[in-house]
Coordinates of all heavy atoms in Angstrom, one line a residue:
C23 N 0.8 -1.2 0.0 CA 0.0 0.0 0.0 C 0.9 1.3 0.0 O 0.8 2.1 0.9 CB -0.9 0.0 1.2 SG -2.1 -1.3 1.3
P24 N 1.7 1.4 -1.0 CA 2.6 2.6 -1.0 C 1.9 3.9 -1.3 O 2.5 5.0 -0.9 CB 3.6 2.3 -2.2 CG 2.7 1.4 -3.1 CD 1.8 0.6 -2.2
K25 N 0.7 3.9 -1.8 CA 0.1 5.2 -2.1 C -0.8 5.8 -1.0 O -1.0 7.0 -0.9 CB -0.9 5.0 -3.3 CG -0.2 4.5 -4.6 CD -1.3 4.3 -5.7 CE -0.7 3.7 -6.9 NZ -1.7 3.5 -8.0
T26 N -1.2 4.9 -0.1 CA -2.2 5.4 1.0 C -1.5 5.5 2.3 O -0.7 4.6 2.7 CB -3.3 4.3 1.1 OG1 -3.9 4.1 -0.2 CG2 -4.4 4.8 2.0
K27 N -1.8 6.6 3.0 CA -1.2 6.8 4.3 C -1.7 5.7 5.3 O -2.9 5.3 5.3 CB -1.6 8.1 4.9 CG -1.0 9.3 4.1 CD -1.2 10.6 4.8 CE -2.7 11.0 4.8 NZ -3.2 11.4 3.5
L28 N -0.8 5.1 6.1 CA -1.1 4.1 7.1 C -1.2 4.7 8.4 O -0.4 5.6 8.8 CB -0.1 3.0 7.1 CG 0.1 2.2 5.8 CD1 1.1 1.1 6.0 CD2 -1.2 1.7 5.2
Q29 N -2.2 4.3 9.2 CA -2.6 4.9 10.4 C -2.6 3.9 11.6 O -2.9 2.7 11.3 CB -3.9 5.6 10.3 CG -4.4 6.3 11.6 CD -5.7 7.1 11.3 OE1 -5.9 7.7 10.3 NE2 -6.6 7.0 12.3
M30 N -2.2 4.3 12.8 CA -2.2 3.4 13.9 C -2.9 4.1 15.1 O -3.0 5.4 15.1 CB -0.8 3.0 14.3 CG 0.0 4.1 15.0 SD 1.6 3.5 15.8 CE 0.9 2.5 17.1
L31 N -3.3 3.3 16.1 CA -3.8 3.8 17.4 C -2.8 3.6 18.5 O -2.3 2.6 18.6 CB -5.1 3.1 17.7 CG -5.9 3.6 19.0 CD1 -6.4 5.0 18.8 CD2 -7.0 2.7 19.3
F32 N -2.6 4.7 19.3 CA -1.5 4.8 20.2 C -2.0 5.3 21.5 O -2.6 6.4 21.6 CB -0.4 5.7 19.6 CG 0.9 5.7 20.3 CD1 2.0 5.0 19.7 CD2 1.2 6.4 21.5 CE1 3.2 5.1 20.2 CE2 2.4 6.4 22.0 CZ 3.5 5.8 21.4
R33 N -1.8 4.5 22.6 CA -2.5 4.9 23.9 C -1.6 5.8 24.7 O -1.4 5.7 25.9 CB -2.7 3.6 24.7 CG -3.7 2.7 24.1 CD -3.8 1.4 24.9 NE -4.7 0.4 24.2 CZ -4.6 -0.9 24.4 NH1 -3.6 -1.4 25.2 NH2 -5.3 -1.7 23.7
G34 N -1.1 6.9 24.1 CA -0.3 7.9 24.9 C 0.9 7.3 25.6 O 1.6 6.5 25.0
Q35 N 1.0 7.6 26.9 CA 2.1 7.1 27.6 C 2.1 5.6 27.9 O 3.0 5.0 28.2 CB 2.2 7.8 29.0 CG 3.6 7.9 29.6 CD 4.5 8.9 28.8 OE1 4.1 9.8 28.2 NE2 5.8 8.6 28.8
N36 N 0.9 5.0 27.6 CA 0.7 3.5 27.7 C 1.2 2.8 26.4 O 1.3 1.6 26.4 CB -0.7 3.2 27.9 CG -1.2 3.5 29.3 OD1 -0.5 4.1 30.1 ND2 -2.4 3.1 29.6
I37 N 1.4 3.6 25.4 CA 1.8 3.1 24.0 C 0.7 2.1 23.6 O -0.3 2.5 23.1 CB 3.2 2.4 24.0 CG1 4.2 3.4 24.7 CG2 3.6 2.1 22.6 CD1 5.6 2.9 24.7
L38 N 1.0 0.8 23.6 CA 0.0 -0.2 23.3 C -0.3 -1.2 24.5 O -1.0 -2.2 24.4 CB 0.4 -1.1 22.1 CG 0.7 -0.3 20.8 CD1 1.2 -1.3 19.7 CD2 -0.5 0.5 20.4
G39 N 0.4 -0.8 25.6 CA 0.3 -1.7 26.8 C -0.7 -1.2 27.8 O -1.7 -0.5 27.4
Y40 N -0.5 -1.6 29.1 CA -1.5 -1.3 30.1 C -0.9 -0.6 31.3 O -1.5 -0.6 32.4 CB -2.1 -2.7 30.5 CG -2.5 -3.5 29.3 CD1 -1.8 -4.5 28.9 CD2 -3.7 -3.1 28.6 CE1 -2.1 -5.3 27.7 CE2 -4.0 -3.8 27.4 CZ -3.2 -4.9 27.0 OH -3.6 -5.6 25.9
K41 N 0.2 0.0 31.1 CA 0.8 0.8 32.1 C 1.6 2.0 31.5 O 1.7 2.0 30.2 CB 1.8 0.0 33.0 CG 3.0 -0.4 32.2 CD 4.1 -1.1 33.1 CE 5.4 -1.4 32.3 NZ 6.5 -1.9 33.2
H42 N 2.1 2.9 32.2 CA 2.9 4.0 31.7 C 4.3 3.5 31.4 O 4.9 2.8 32.3 CB 2.9 5.2 32.6 CG 1.6 6.0 32.5 ND1 1.5 7.2 33.2 CD2 0.5 5.9 31.8 CE1 0.3 7.7 32.9 NE2 -0.3 6.9 32.1
Y43 N 4.8 3.9 30.3 CA 6.2 3.6 30.0 C 7.0 4.9 30.0 O 6.5 6.0 29.9 CB 6.3 3.0 28.6 CG 5.7 1.6 28.6 CD1 4.4 1.4 28.3 CD2 6.5 0.5 28.9 CE1 3.8 0.1 28.3 CE2 6.0 -0.8 28.9 CZ 4.6 -0.9 28.6 OH 4.1 -2.2 28.7
S44 N 8.3 4.8 30.2 CA 9.2 5.9 30.3 C 9.3 6.7 29.0 O 9.0 6.1 27.9 CB 10.6 5.5 30.7 OG 11.1 4.6 29.8
D45 N 9.7 7.9 29.0 CA 9.7 8.8 27.8 C 10.6 8.2 26.7 O 10.3 8.4 25.5 CB 10.2 10.2 28.2 CG 9.1 11.0 28.9 OD1 7.9 10.6 28.8 OD2 9.4 12.0 29.5
D46 N 11.7 7.6 27.1 CA 12.6 7.1 26.1 C 12.0 5.9 25.3 O 12.2 5.7 24.1 CB 14.0 6.7 26.6 CG 13.9 5.5 27.6 OD1 13.0 5.5 28.4 OD2 14.9 4.7 27.6
V47 N 11.2 5.1 26.0 CA 10.5 4.0 25.3 C 9.4 4.5 24.4 O 9.2 4.0 23.3 CB 9.9 3.0 26.4 CG1 9.1 1.9 25.7 CG2 11.0 2.4 27.2

């Protein structure tokens, strides 16, 4: 899919997990 922008969902400081991660992660 080189022509179409790909989008993701990101849980802020949780990223994709269930707790807060450090800023460098």
Side-chain angles (χ1 to χ4, degrees):
C23 297
K25 300 177 183 178
T26 309
K27 295 188 291 291
L28 300 186
Q29 181 173 316
M30 74 168 293
L31 183 66
F32 193 102
R33 297 174 188 152
Q35 208 71 30
N36 288 5
I37 310 178
L38 303 179
Y40 312 102
K41 67 171 187 175
H42 280 185
Y43 292 88
S44 60
D45 284 343
D46 65 322
V47 176

